Amino acid sequence: MIDAKDLTRTFGNVTAVDRVTFHVEAGEVFGFLGPNGAGKTTTVRMLCCLISKTSGEARIADYVVGNEEDSLKIRKMIGLVPDNVGLYDELSAYENLDFYGKLYECSESQRRENIQRFL
Ligand SMILES: Nc1ncnc2c1ncn2[C@@H]1O[C@H](COP(=O)(O)OP(=O)(O)O)[C@@H](O)[C@H]1O
Ligand SMILES: [Mg+2]
């Protein structure tokens, strides 16, 4: 389901992720642990196609990380809950959920139903 092979990301002369290789099966709960600065967030950001990789390969299901068309499909199928949640302070709780629902192309009636349930 998730396959990373020699995944690497550098920022200038900092190597944030250095040839990370792992495999996660569908349905498996996978703990990806390490001290602060180990490169966990950078790895997740590459897998979610939020930043590019420097080298190595990764696949999510049959999609290839780094392929532009596949990146859109990968972003659609992943739900990421980062440690600092990206909510907009100037929007209400309802408006925040409505905004994210729109990004996921939920219909208006589906958004209304989901938001009532989640709130
Ligand atoms: N956008 C960036 N620009 C420069 N350095 C970065 C950037 N993002 C992360 N780093 C560096 O990459 C390393 C790994 O960071 P990170 O992936 O956030 O680690 P973790 O999530 O495991 O704490 C750290 O040394 C961090 O300072
Ligand atoms: Mg982190």
Side-chain angles (χ1 to χ4, degrees):
M1 182 70 187
I2 303 173
D3 253 312
K5 189 166 183 303
D6 294 329
L7 202 54
T8 298
R9 170 72 200 216
T10 57
F11 296 103
N13 53 16
V14 174
T15 302
V17 175
D18 188 8
R19 289 163 295 158
V20 165
T21 299
F22 62 86
H23 174 76
V24 184
E25 292 286 346
E28 185 179 351
V29 176
F30 182 81
F32 188 50
L33 308 179
N36 278 345
K40 305 176 297 294
T41 298
T42 306
T43 301
V44 169
R45 291 175 71 207
M46 286 191 279
L47 292 175
C48 292
C49 304
L50 299 175
I51 57 169
S52 60
K53 58 187 169 63
T54 302
S55 62
E57 293 162 28
R59 284 173 168 272
I60 311 281
D62 290 327
Y63 301 121
V64 176
V65 171
N67 172 306
E68 204 171 316
E69 247 175 61
D70 285 2
S71 293
L72 289 175
K73 292 177 182 140
I74 290 170
R75 285 184 209 161
K76 264 196 165 167
M77 68 192 280
I78 289 184
L80 174 66
V81 183
D83 42 9
N84 51 343
V85 179
L87 295 175
Y88 294 96
D89 288 341
E90 62 272 39
L91 300 183
S92 67
Y94 190 100
E95 288 165 342
N96 266 289
L97 291 172
D98 198 45
F99 172 74
Y100 283 105
K102 281 181 189 165
L103 291 184
Y104 278 88
E105 297 179 347
C106 272
S107 68
E108 194 176 347
S109 60
Q110 185 71 66
R111 291 203 304 278
R112 260 202 305 270
E113 189 189 316
N114 286 350
I115 292 170
Q116 288 308 334
R117 187 153 47 93
F118 293 139
L119 286 177

